[in-house]
Amino acid sequence: MEISITSLNKIYPNGNQALTNVDLEIKNGMFGLLGPNGAGKTTLMRILVTLMKPTSGSIIVNGMDLDRNRKAIRAVMGYLPQDFRFFSKLSTWEFLDYVAALAGLKERKKRAHAVDEMLEKVGLFDVRDRQANKLSGGMKRRLGIAQALIGDPKIVIVDEPTTGLDPEERIRFRNLLSDMSQRDIIIILSTHIVGDISSACHQMALLDEGSLVFSGSPDELIDMAKGNVWQIKAIDSELEDIKSRYPVISTIPSDNGWDVEVVAKKLDGYPGTAVDPNLEHAYVNFMEFKLGRTWHGEAV
Ligand code: ADP
């Protein structure tokens, strides 16, 4: 699978420009779309799943223009929106069976088998007879995942993947998706949480205020932060000053005070040890130094 997005713009009727000249190539595997709230992620996802048209620009899926082949492309897509809800009184099993029929699984026996299998996969088989809208929050989210994955989609889009999931469920969900991503499939995770971009995402992009500011591998983003992450051993009275000088990533209590991780090109006045950056550091580093955000009062 291949998705090719060119010069995509979206201006809402009230004049809000949610996307500005977005160019993006997405290939097989897991793709992480990261950006703060309001960056335009949901807008881009809704355009991709054909729920909304862009103001201008094009999207080509495997050589087919999305706008001219909406039905065919929709048939190979699975989508889990941020605010997925059930309005039906169907049981969990019936609901998934219904979605599977819509996804093109016509033959009853085969469909029933696929439904059973998917309910096993997401851990809902035991509650298959329970009314779908009476499931717990986490279970509803899992049923949402199941309905996005059923019918062998080639493109799966998940908006804010970990919303409503507890830590154990997050791991289960991540494993489920990375198992699936071994095939000819594109899985797009759209999120404002850096931790959702799992190690299985080999491709990622950063959206900010409607513009694509980075696209590449997580490792490339991490490389940019090398030499810019420090751990400072601080005492109570120094904490406020450190917070006002640098973007602080974490503050952990230690023997004589605090271990504070900061992003900075150099530390003036505080002795620090260099830290190997992770993706979270890399994201803050990018926002701070590449986008010139005035995190602590000075443009960089
Ligand atoms: P994200 O998903 O990254 O939080 P959105 O795509 O929801 O971002 O929003 C991007 C921008 O578009 C925001 O400034 C938001 O206020 C605006 N926006 C979203 N939906 C609408 C709408 N229906 N009408 C007008 N503006 C909108």
Side-chain angles (χ1 to χ4, degrees):
M1 296 306 289
E2 197 171 0
I3 302 175
S4 181
I5 299 172
T6 312
S7 305
L8 202 71
N9 283 281
K10 176 68 190 183
I11 303 169
Y12 282 106
N14 70 354
N16 270 359
Q17 176 131 18
L19 295 172
T20 308
N21 287 328
V22 171
D23 291 316
L24 190 59
E25 297 282 327
I26 305 176
K27 297 197 163 37
N28 270 349
M30 266 217 241
F31 183 94
L33 180 68
L34 186 63
N37 282 327
K41 303 180 299 296
T42 303
T43 302
L44 180 58
M45 297 303 100
R46 288 175 61 82
I47 293 172
L48 267 177
V49 296
T50 73
L51 284 174
M52 195 162 72
K53 288 199 179 196
T55 308
S56 64
S58 78
I59 299 179
I60 308 291
V61 178
N62 269 8
M64 287 194 289
D65 187 288
L66 179 73
D67 197 37
R68 278 189 237 121
N69 300 275
R70 299 167 84 82
K71 229 179 144 189
I73 295 173
R74 208 181 260 184
V76 296
M77 276 196 182
Y79 177 43
L80 176 56
Q82 212 172 322
D83 55 355
F84 182 67
R85 300 218 176 93
F86 311 90
F87 297 106
S88 74
K89 291 214 158 113
L90 297 177
S91 75
T92 300
W93 197 94
E94 285 165 340
F95 173 77
L96 200 55
D97 183 58
Y98 170 72
V99 177
L102 288 183
L105 290 171
K106 297 269 182 279
E107 206 201 307
R108 262 185 64 196
K109 252 194 172 163
K110 262 197 192 153
R111 189 168 72 234
H113 181 69
V115 170
D116 284 350
E117 202 174 53
M118 186 55 73
L119 287 174
E120 282 283 3
K121 255 193 195 160
V122 297
L124 292 177
F125 190 73
D126 291 345
V127 293
R128 62 192 178 282
D129 294 328
R130 196 182 298 176
Q131 205 172 300
N133 55 11
K134 292 200 172 139
L135 295 174
S136 73
M139 285 175 172
K140 277 186 184 154
R141 191 75 188 156
R142 278 190 262 151
L143 186 53
I145 293 157
Q147 65 78 35
L149 298 183
I150 198 130
D152 205 15
K154 297 284 178 252
I155 299 170
V156 176
I157 295 176
V158 185
D159 206 351
E160 300 291 344
T162 59
T163 309
L165 296 182
D166 62 32
E168 197 185 322
E169 283 174 326
R170 276 175 205 203
I171 294 168
R172 184 212 287 264
F173 178 51
R174 222 172 261 170
N175 290 341
L176 189 70
L177 289 183
S178 58
D179 279 355
M180 297 217 28
S181 70
Q182 313 302 325
R183 294 187 272 145
D184 177 26
I185 188 171
I186 290 176
I187 299 175
I188 301 176
L189 304 178
S190 162
T191 181
H192 71 283
I193 298 168
V194 182
D196 282 347
I197 310 290
S198 75
S199 52
C201 287
H202 298 300
Q203 329 160 63
M204 66 172 289
L206 257 176
L207 257 186
D208 186 59
E209 293 177 358
S211 296
L212 200 78
V213 291
F214 171 85
S215 85
S217 69
D219 284 345
E220 283 168 57
L221 199 67
I222 289 170
D223 277 347
M224 290 179 186
K226 282 198 175 138
N228 288 355
V229 186
W230 307 88
Q231 190 195 62
I232 302 173
K233 290 209 165 293
I235 52 171
D236 280 352
S237 58
E238 293 168 332
L239 259 189
E240 280 314 306
D241 183 49
I242 291 172
K243 282 183 185 165
S244 71
R245 282 168 184 253
Y246 316 108
V248 170
I249 304 218
S250 64
T251 310
I252 298 165
S254 72
D255 292 347
N256 302 312
W258 304 89
D259 286 341
V260 188
E261 272 185 359
V262 302
V263 167
K265 290 211 162 152
K266 60 183 171 53
L267 298 177
D268 358 67
Y270 289 98
T273 347
V275 171
D276 268 346
N278 60 27
L279 195 57
E280 196 176 352
H281 300 136
Y283 177 64
V284 174
N285 177 71
F286 191 90
M287 290 311 214
E288 176 81 0
F289 294 122
K290 294 288 177 204
L291 297 188
R293 283 292 154 76
T294 52
W295 191 300
H296 46 275
E298 54 186 38
V300 189

